[in-house]
Each structure stands twice: as structure tokens, then as C-alpha cells.
Amino acid sequence: ASMLSLSLQSTSFHGVASVPSRVQPTMLFGAKASAPKKAPAFAYGLPGNFNALGGSELNWDPAGFLEGKSELEVNRYREAELTHGRVGMLASLGFLVQEKFHPLFSGDGGPAIDQIPQLPVWLWVVMGGGIAAAEAARINIAFRELDGEKLKAETALRPGYTPGDLGFDPLGFSKDLSADEFKLMQEKELAHARLAMIAAAGFLAQEAVTHATWGTVYGLPDF
């Protein structure tokens, strides 16, 4: 009898230990387990993450500029990228045209970097005033006001501001576009802007080294 009692006690003990508890620790106190926090999309879903070669997302940030950055900080980076890209598109076009076509003043031709110091004073004044006016308008639209006491803005960009959206569309390219069509146009602008920044840097480097226009270097002296 005593052996039977020990056997039953042993079986009972193992039976209880072998059954896993189905009660979660958080459920004991009536609380639900929180779902894992979803990581934000790359660059918070901004356009420009399209891989033209493969058609998939690029997710390219080798220097880690976006790590640990808030959405407003990432938007500020995009604003800077678009601003420099638009200037790059104008600059690369200027290298192709301005070295031989300059109706606003009499130039001697030749590399653009050699013509810049020869520009007339009045043209410098006009260009400087135009650049200052454009930048003042962009700052007024995109950036927050400075705190009068701290002399510093809480964040650089205005909350809710879309990077690059300055409301300037005189030809109506973005009029009546769907959301997908507008995003595609943003992708195209970024692709051209990035290529133009590289092209403008290439023009500057080539003319600084060769002291000749791009046309002369490629056997087209008329350019």
C-alpha cells in the first residue's frame, strides 16, 4: 500500500509539472500583451527610394545619415537635397549653354569658371538680389520662426510642410494629378536632381583640370 501511495504521488507530481501554463504573465493582472512597435518605413516613406535598375526599393543610406533621426530631421535632409538638386540642374544646363550663348553681356567664350570673374558688376547685383529673394521666400514658406528668447527654432522645418513644395508651378505640371502620378513626378525630379549634382561637379572638375570647355575636350571646339 505504501508503495502504491508513493507511485501515485510520483505520477501526480510529474503530471502537474509536464503541463505548460497557458496563462501569460500579463494576463494575470487583466492586461493585454502589447504588440511589437512597427519600424517606420525607410526615410519615413519619402519619394526617391526607387531602384531604377531593379524596380524595387533602394533603401540606400551607406553613411547612416537617417539612423535615429526624427521625421522632421529627415524632411530637412530632403529639403536640402532638393534645393541642391534644383541648383545642380540649372548649373549643368548652364555649362552646356552659357559657354557659347550669353546674350545678357558680352563674353569672350571659353570655360565657364574663367568667365565668372569677368561678369559685369550689374549682373552680380541682379544675380545676388534674385538669389536672396528666392531664398527669403523659401525660408518663409518652409522654415519655422526663431524663438525670440532662445534665438533658435524648435525644429528647422514647419510641421506638416512637404519638402520641396514651395507652391511654384507656373506651367501647371502638377495640376489634376492623382496621388500616384504626383509621387511618380517626385521620383523623376529626384532622379534628375541627383544626376545633375554629379554632372555639375563633373563639369567643374573637368574645366578646372583641362582649362577648356567640355566641347573642346570632346573634339567639338565650337562648343
Side-chain angles (χ1 to χ4, degrees):
S2 60
M3 293 180 64
L4 179 60
S5 176
L6 289 173
S7 176
L8 290 173
Q9 290 177 2
S10 176
T11 304
S12 175
F13 174 77
H14 286 293
V16 173
S18 62
V19 178
S21 174
R22 296 184 180 179
V23 180
Q24 299 294 333
T26 54
M27 294 175 65
L28 294 175
F29 300 97
K32 295 182 179 180
S34 59
K37 189 175 180 180
K38 186 179 179 180
F42 183 82
Y44 293 93
L46 286 174
N49 191 31
F50 178 74
N51 185 355
L53 298 179
S56 60
E57 291 186 353
L58 192 59
N59 296 342
W60 194 71
D61 182 28
F65 287 120
L66 304 182
E67 292 181 5
K69 298 297 189 298
S70 67
E71 186 172 2
L72 279 175
E73 290 175 312
V74 174
N75 285 349
R76 181 168 62 88
Y77 288 163
R78 174 52 55 82
E79 176 74 14
E81 181 184 21
L82 281 169
T83 302
H84 286 81
R86 289 166 178 172
V87 172
M89 286 188 280
L90 290 173
S92 57
L93 179 62
F95 274 106
L96 294 173
V97 176
Q98 176 255 337
E99 292 175 342
K100 289 295 180 182
F101 179 73
H102 28 65
L104 297 179
F105 59 94
S106 58
D108 299 328
I113 55 175
D114 293 337
Q115 294 185 44
I116 292 175
Q118 303 175 27
L119 294 177
V121 176
W122 68 266
L123 190 58
W124 279 106
V125 174
V126 172
M127 290 193 304
I131 293 171
E135 277 298 283
R138 185 176 73 91
I139 291 172
N140 186 53
I141 294 172
F143 291 83
R144 298 188 68 169
E145 301 85 354
L146 294 178
D147 189 314
E149 297 180 357
K150 301 179 181 178
L151 296 179
K152 183 179 179 181
E154 183 179 349
T155 57
L157 295 182
R158 296 178 184 271
Y161 168 74
T162 301
D165 186 7
L166 302 176
F168 181 77
D169 184 20
L171 299 180
F173 287 123
S174 61
K175 186 179 179 181
D176 300 328
L177 292 181
S178 66
D180 291 338
E181 290 172 332
F182 186 73
K183 186 174 182 180
L184 179 61
M185 181 173 286
Q186 290 177 304
E187 295 277 357
K188 291 178 179 179
E189 181 186 22
L190 280 164
H192 287 84
R194 290 164 178 171
L195 180 60
M197 286 188 282
I198 297 174
F203 279 124
L204 286 169
Q206 173 260 310
E207 291 195 350
V209 172
T210 64
H211 299 286
T213 65
W214 64 271
T216 302
V217 171
Y218 287 101
L220 300 171
D222 291 339
F223 289 93

